[in-house]
C-alpha cells in the first residue's frame, strides 16, 4: 500500500499496525504527504517506511505523486486524511486502485466537517465509510461501513473520536478484503466473493429499553 495523508495520521497508523501482523495480506511501503510537518510523515519515519513530502504548490504535483507511487510498484493507494480532491488525471492513472475513508455513512454528509453535519442534521446514527475513489467528492463505490450512535451530549470532538475508533477497525478490514481478492466493482457497485457477509443484529439508536 501507498498511503496519502495530510495530518495526524491515525488511520495511517492503523494500516501500518495491521500490515505488521504476519497474517495480514498487505503492508504499507510508502507514505506521501502534501504537508511538510504532518505527524503522518513522523509516523512513517518512526516505522522506518519510505516517506516523502511533495509541495502541492509546485508544478506537476499530481504527476510527481503518481510517479512516486509507480516507482514503488504500489498495488493499492489509501487516502487517509489526505485533504485534497484528487484530479481526474490522477484517478484515471490508477483505475480501481485508490480507496478513501470518510467519517460518515456515505452518501450522507460528504465533504469536510462530516461529523458536524451529522450533529446539525440531528441523526441518531452516523458512522464511517471506506470507498473507492472516483472523480467526485466522496462519491465512489462503497466497500465497507460501520454504524456509530450519536449520543445526546455529543459535540464534534466526542463524536469524531467515537467514529475514529471504528475507522481504525474498518480501514484495515477493507484493505484485507481487497488484498484477498474478495472485492469486485461491477457497474459502480461493490460485490463480494467469499464469506464477507454475516447476518447480524440491527442497530437501534437511541435504544428505548
Ligand atoms: C479521518 O476522520 C478520516 O476519516 C478523514 O480525515 C480524518 C483523518 O484522521 N478523511 P487521521 O489523520 O487518519 O488521524
Amino acid at each position: 500500500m501507498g498511503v496519502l495523508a495530510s495530518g495526524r495520521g491515525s488511520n495511517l497508523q492503523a494500516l501500518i499496525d495491521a500490515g505488521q501482523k504476519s497474517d495480514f495480506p498487505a503492508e504499507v511501503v510508502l507514505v506521501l504527504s502534501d504537508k511538510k510537518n504532518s505527524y503522518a510523515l513522523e509516523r512513517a519515519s518512526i516505522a522506518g517506511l519510505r516517506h516523502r513530502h511533495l509541495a502541492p504548490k509546485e508544478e506537476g504535483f499530481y504527476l510527481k505523486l503518481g510517479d512516486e507511487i509507480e516507482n514503488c510498484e504500489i498495488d493499492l493507494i489509501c487516502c487517509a486524511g489526505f485533504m485534497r480532491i484528487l484530479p481526474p488525471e490522477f484517478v484515471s492513472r490508477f483505475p480501481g486502485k485508490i480507496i478513501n475513508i470518510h467519517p460518515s455513512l456515505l452518501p450522507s454528509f460528504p465533504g469536510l466537517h462530516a461529523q458536524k453535519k451529522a450533529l446539525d442534521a440531528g441523526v441518531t446514527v452516523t458512522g464511517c465509510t471506506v470507498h473507492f475513489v472516483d472523480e467526485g467528492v466522496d462519491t465512489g463505490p462503497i466497500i465497507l461501513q460501520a454504524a456509530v450512535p450519536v449520543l445526546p451530549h455529543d459535540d464534534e470532538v466526542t463524536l469524531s473520536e467515537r467514529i475514529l475508533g471504528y475507522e481504525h477497525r474498518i480501514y484495515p478490514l477493507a484493505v484485507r478484503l481487497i488484498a484477498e481478492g474478495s472485492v469486485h466493482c461491477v457497474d459502480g457497485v461493490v460485490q463480494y466473493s467469499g464469506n464477507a457477509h454475516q447476518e447480524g443484529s440491527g442497530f437501534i439508536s437511541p435504544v428505548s429499553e
Side-chain angles (χ1 to χ4, degrees):
M1 288 175 268
V3 178
L4 307 183
S6 303
R8 78 192 147 181
S10 70
N11 278 290
L12 162 67
Q13 192 66 54
L15 294 174
I16 292 172
D17 293 346
Q20 286 172 347
K21 293 184 184 140
S22 58
D23 63 343
F24 196 77
E27 62 179 334
V28 179
V29 294
L30 174 69
V31 177
L32 297 173
S33 182
D34 57 335
K35 293 269 170 21
K36 198 171 184 178
N37 298 317
S38 65
Y39 193 58
L41 287 177
E42 181 70 22
R43 288 180 195 269
S45 162
I46 291 167
L49 298 173
R50 185 184 163 101
H51 58 284
R52 192 167 171 201
H53 163 247
L54 289 168
K57 281 186 183 155
E58 274 176 28
E59 216 184 297
F61 170 70
Y62 286 103
L63 205 61
K64 286 182 205 158
L65 205 65
D67 289 348
E68 284 281 338
I69 288 163
E70 260 177 22
N71 289 340
C72 282
E73 298 180 1
I74 301 291
D75 294 313
L76 187 65
I77 303 165
C78 301
C79 300
F82 189 62
M83 303 305 283
R84 295 190 168 270
I85 297 162
L86 296 171
E89 63 270 21
F90 184 89
V91 175
S92 60
R93 188 170 169 184
F94 302 100
K97 286 191 166 187
I98 314 174
I99 62 175
N100 179 45
I101 186 148
H102 182 77
S104 76
L105 289 175
L106 291 172
S108 293
F109 315 128
L112 292 173
H113 309 297
Q115 302 93 334
K116 181 171 188 310
K117 287 175 185 165
L119 286 168
D120 290 348
V123 296
T124 60
V125 177
T126 182
C128 44
T129 303
V130 181
H131 64 95
F132 285 108
V133 171
D134 65 9
E135 285 160 14
V137 178
D138 303 322
T139 51
I142 291 168
I143 303 165
L144 208 60
Q145 294 184 302
V148 174
V150 181
L151 301 181
H153 302 296
D154 267 338
D155 56 23
E156 211 179 331
V157 173
T158 57
L159 181 58
S160 299
E161 274 174 10
R162 189 173 313 116
I163 295 171
L164 195 64
Y166 282 86
E167 292 185 39
H168 298 163
R169 291 171 64 178
I170 68 167
Y171 215 179
L173 201 53
V175 168
R176 173 186 283 283
L177 288 170
I178 293 167
E180 289 175 346
S182 304
V183 171
H184 303 278
C185 217
V186 181
D187 295 333
V189 176
V190 169
Q191 296 189 350
Y192 294 91
S193 52
N195 222 358
H197 290 282
Q198 276 181 0
E199 187 147 355
S201 44
F203 186 79
I204 300 172
S205 173
V207 178
S208 53
E209 56 186 54

